[in-house]
Structures are given as structure tokens and as C-alpha cells.
């Protein structure tokens, strides 16, 4: 093999530069490791499935600093969120609910902050962190990562097919979401813990509740427990200590001030569960509100059992009238 003078000089220079190049690469890796930064790594996943649909990502997910990151645009579209990438402010905004999610560049001093990464021309967001913040759940199998709304799988089956007692008790404990900013709640100056939940007769997947002076309607929408209506049920409380706070009474006298959403039309009674007091000293009232908003007390804890009717005894143990059966699919209250 013959090398001309120019070729030999190039080879000689390359051999001289090789140790320097390797040293520089090692120094760069050491500096990146010192700052906790690792290069993006492509990963092998069969699928990322969001609410039953595969994520439409021509741009593949990446593993960055130990986090599985997905491209912003297809992810936002899959969860039904709007998004905005502000290159100048170096900030990403995701909006699905009333409170937007803000993602910023990673800061070593704030490890809890939601972050994003720019790789080439594409913006990536952390799949797990963002999904949980939006109220989704994550399940991983050998071939898939499944992103599901809170009401799915066995829970969905139970809520849609279970008995009224179990479903009502489960539903009121689920975290709610809203696409509209929540109304400011004013609470009475009292140590009494009072709560009231009211379900349309025969239904379990929507209910009224009063918190302070705000009435809310919660319904299942797209497998999320969503607040779809709010309004004030009275004048804001003052600083006077009161033992007379009665959320059910406020509801019955409701004039729906400063409301948003659509107040549902009454064409069936509401079954209520109203609890007030402290711990073992609390009292729970069961009854119904008629179509013309008249209260009918049907039972309460603390009553002598001997003087209660058979129906009232059952009501005391359940959140259900003895003659009720589920009619959710009919949606009689529209």
C-alpha cells in the first residue's frame, strides 16, 4: 500500500489527535455525570396505550435521566389537553383541567418540579409524572405501558354494575376534576365537621354536595369524576362562631348565585346522607328531598332502634332507600 505525502501527513495528525479526542470525550462524560445529565437513550417498547388507544408517536419515546419521555404533541392530543411551548420563557403549559400544568427546564435545586426536554427539534415530557398530575393511572406489562383514566378496569365495572350502596360510597371518595375554575368556598367558623351528599333516586354516578357555601354537582364524564356545576347557596359566612351550620338547609334554600355550568332539572327525588359532629359523636341523617324541595327525614343514627320502622332501620345502615333500584342507564334526570 502506498501513501502519498499528503495522505501520510493526514494519518500522522489523526494518530496524534486521537489521545486528545478520547481525553476530551471522557471529560465531557465526567462533567455530564457530575451534573446528573445523561444522553437520551432510545428504548424498546411494544406500545404506549392511552385510554385504550395506542399513542400516535412517529417520534419514539426516549429514556432521559432515568425518566421515560414522550413527544409533547401526540401525548397532549391523546389525553385531550391543549399545549403551548414557549421557547422564549423555556416553559411548556399543558391544559386539561382548570389548573394548568407548567413544565420547566430541570433545575438541580428542585427535583420535584415537572420538567421537559428538547431533543433536536422535538419537545419531550415525562410520561409518568405528567399523567399522574392529570389524574390518570399507569400500569406496566411486559409489552405495554397503559395510561388509564381513574375509572377503568374493575373499578369501572363495579361503578357501572354494582349495587347502589357500594357505588355511592365509593364514588364520593374519588378525587374530582373540573375544566372550570372552582368557586371560592367560604366556611363557617365552627369545629363541627358537616357533609352532605345527595344522589338522584336510583342513580349512583352523579351527586350534589355542599362544601361551605358552595353547591357542586359531580358526574362521571369520560371516566373521570367531574364537577360540572357550581353555585353559591347563600351569603358568605362571617367570623361569628356558629353551631347552626346545616349544608342540607342551605341546599334547600339555594338561590344559585354566581353559578357556572347547567343546573340540572329536578324530576325525581334526591336521596341524601348528611353527617355532622366529631368522630364517635357524629350523627348521620338519611332521607330524601322531594321534587318540590321538601325534606323527608327517614332515619338517623342515634335514634332508639325500637321506635324506628323497619324501613328506617335499613336506611340507617345503608345509603339507599329500601325500594330503590338502579336506573342510571335511563338517565331520568336530565
Amino acid at each position: 500500500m502506498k501513501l502519498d505525502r499528503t495522505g501520510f501527513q493526514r494519518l500522522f495528525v489523526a494518530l496524534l489527535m486521537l489521545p486528545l479526542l478520547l481525553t476530551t470525550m471522557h471529560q465531557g462524560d465526567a462533567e455530564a455525570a457530575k451534573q446528573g445529565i445523561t444522553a437520551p437513550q432510545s428504548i424498546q417498547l411494544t406500545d404506549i396505550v392511552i385510554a385504550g388507544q395506542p399513542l400516535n408517536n412517529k417520534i419514539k419515546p426516549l429514556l432521559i435521566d432515568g425518566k421515560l419521555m414522550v413527544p409533547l404533541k401526540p401525548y397532549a392530543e391523546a389525553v385531550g389537553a391543549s399545549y403551548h411551548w414557549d421557547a422564549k420563557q423555556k416553559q411548556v403549559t399543558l391544559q386539561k383541567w382548570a389548573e394548568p400544568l407548567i413544565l420547566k427546564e430541570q433545575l438541580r435545586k428542585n427535583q420535584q418540579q415537572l420538567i421537559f426536554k428538547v431533543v433536536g427539534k422535538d419537545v419531550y415530557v415525562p410520561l409518568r409524572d405528567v399523567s399522574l398530575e392529570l389524574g390518570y393511572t399507569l400500569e406496566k406489562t411486559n409489552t405495554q405501558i397503559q395510561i388509564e383514566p381513574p375509572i377503568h378496569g374493575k373499578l369501572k365495572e363495579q361503578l357501572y354494575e354494582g349495587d347502589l350502596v357500594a357505588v355511592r360510597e365509593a364514588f364520593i371518595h374519588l378525587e374530582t376534576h373540573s375544566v372550570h375554575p372552582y368557586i371560592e368556598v367560604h366556611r363557617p367558623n365552627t369545629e363541627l365537621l358537616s357533609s352532605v351528599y345527595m344522589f338522584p333516586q336510583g342513580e349512583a354516578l352523579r351527586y350534589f354536595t355542599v362544601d361551605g357555601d358552595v353547591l357542586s354537582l359531580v358526574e362521571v364524564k369520560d371516566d373521570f369524576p367531574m364537577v360540572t356545576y357550581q353555585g353559591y347557596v347563600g351569603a358568605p359566612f362571617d367570623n361569628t362562631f356558629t353551631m347552626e351550620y346545616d349544608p342540607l338547609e342551605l341546599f334547600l334554600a339555594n338561590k344559585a348565585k354566581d353559578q357556572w355550568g347547567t343546573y340540572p332539572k329536578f324530576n325525581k327525588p334526591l336521596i341524601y346522607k348528611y353527617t355532622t359532629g366529631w368522630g364517635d359523636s357524629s350523627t348521620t341523617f338519611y332521607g330524601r328531598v322531594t321534587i318540590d324541595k321538601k325534606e323527608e327525614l327517614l332515619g338517623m343514627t342515634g335514634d332508639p332502634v325500637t321506635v324506628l320502622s323497619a324501613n328506617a332501620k335499613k336506611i340507617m345502615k345503608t345509603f339507599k332507600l329500601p325500594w330503590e333500584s338502579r336506573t342510571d342507564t335511563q338517565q331520568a334526570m336530565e
Side-chain angles (χ1 to χ4, degrees):
M1 176 180 178
K2 290 186 177 181
L3 289 175
D4 59 22
R5 186 184 299 275
T6 302
F8 180 77
Q9 289 174 337
R10 290 176 179 171
L11 178 59
F12 182 72
V13 171
L15 292 173
L16 287 177
M17 292 295 293
L18 182 58
L20 179 60
L21 178 61
L22 291 174
T23 300
T24 303
M25 290 175 62
H26 287 307
Q27 289 176 344
D29 291 341
E31 183 63 27
K34 184 187 299 183
Q35 298 180 11
I37 300 173
T38 58
Q41 303 173 30
S42 61
I43 61 174
Q44 297 297 323
L45 282 176
T46 300
D47 233 341
I48 294 176
V49 179
I50 299 179
Q53 299 297 320
L55 179 63
N56 180 21
N57 56 330
K58 295 181 180 178
I59 307 169
K60 296 300 180 182
L62 297 174
L63 191 62
I64 305 176
D65 297 336
K67 289 183 179 290
L68 178 60
M69 311 285 282
V70 293
L72 171 63
K73 183 176 184 294
Y75 174 81
E77 292 173 347
V79 298
S82 60
Y83 65 93
H84 177 66
W85 156 232
D86 190 330
K88 184 176 181 180
Q89 296 294 327
K90 296 183 178 180
Q91 178 173 294
V92 170
T93 302
L94 271 172
Q95 185 91 48
K96 181 177 177 67
W97 309 117
E99 188 70 25
L101 287 186
I102 306 297
L103 294 86
K104 298 184 178 182
E105 287 189 327
Q106 185 171 12
L107 298 175
R108 294 177 62 188
K109 294 182 179 180
N110 188 357
Q111 299 298 322
Q112 302 302 317
Q113 177 180 284
L114 289 176
I115 63 169
F116 70 89
K117 294 286 186 179
V118 178
V119 180
K121 296 182 179 180
D122 300 305
V123 177
Y124 283 77
V125 297
L127 179 66
R128 180 181 183 278
D129 296 346
V130 173
S131 297
L132 292 178
E133 286 291 330
L134 291 177
Y136 288 87
T137 64
L138 281 80
E139 297 178 4
K140 188 177 184 302
T141 67
N142 292 333
T143 59
Q144 289 185 344
I145 292 180
Q146 298 176 343
I147 312 297
E148 297 284 359
I151 300 176
H152 73 283
K154 290 184 178 180
L155 176 59
K156 184 173 183 177
E157 181 179 336
Q158 292 168 356
L159 291 184
Y160 279 84
E161 300 179 10
D163 69 274
L164 284 171
V165 176
V167 175
R168 284 172 172 171
E169 289 292 350
F171 189 35
I172 62 178
H173 290 98
L174 294 179
E175 180 183 2
T176 62
H177 299 268
S178 176
V179 297
H180 190 285
Y182 289 102
I183 290 179
E184 180 183 2
V185 176
H186 307 95
R187 293 184 173 85
N189 183 16
T190 175
E191 295 180 359
L192 286 176
L193 301 177
S194 298
S195 64
V196 62
Y197 298 95
M198 297 166 282
F199 284 84
Q201 184 170 307
E203 296 189 29
L205 297 181
R206 54 179 169 176
Y207 64 86
F208 282 110
T209 185
V210 178
D211 180 17
D213 57 355
V214 173
L215 171 68
S216 300
L217 175 64
V218 181
E219 303 179 84
V220 174
K221 297 286 185 182
D222 298 324
D223 294 328
F224 277 88
M226 290 182 58
V227 176
T228 59
Y229 165 86
Q230 282 192 318
Y232 283 116
V233 290
F237 296 101
D238 57 26
N239 293 324
T240 304
F241 184 85
T242 177
M243 297 286 286
E244 305 301 324
Y245 171 59
D246 186 335
L248 183 58
E249 183 179 333
L250 288 175
F251 170 76
L252 295 174
N254 173 33
K255 297 181 180 179
K257 301 176 181 178
D258 301 323
Q259 58 187 330
W260 63 264
T262 302
Y263 191 89
K265 180 182 178 180
F266 270 97
N267 63 7
K268 62 166 64 173
L270 295 174
I271 310 307
Y272 72 77
K273 176 181 180 180
Y274 168 33
T275 301
T276 185
W278 301 274
D280 294 338
S281 300
S282 64
T283 302
T284 299
F285 303 87
Y286 297 93
R288 69 175 185 168
V289 177
T290 63
I291 296 175
D292 56 352
K293 287 193 173 182
K294 302 295 183 181
E295 178 190 356
E296 295 180 352
L297 178 61
L298 300 175
M300 59 179 287
T301 58
D303 273 358
V305 177
T306 54
V307 302
L308 292 178
S309 66
N311 283 346
K313 293 176 184 178
K314 292 181 180 179
I315 294 168
M316 286 172 58
K317 297 179 181 179
T318 65
F319 193 176
K320 174 180 178 289
L321 299 180
W323 57 85
E324 271 191 285
S325 58
R326 288 199 69 172
T327 59
D328 291 49
T329 55
Q330 300 176 21
Q331 291 298 318
M333 191 181 81
E334 297 177 356

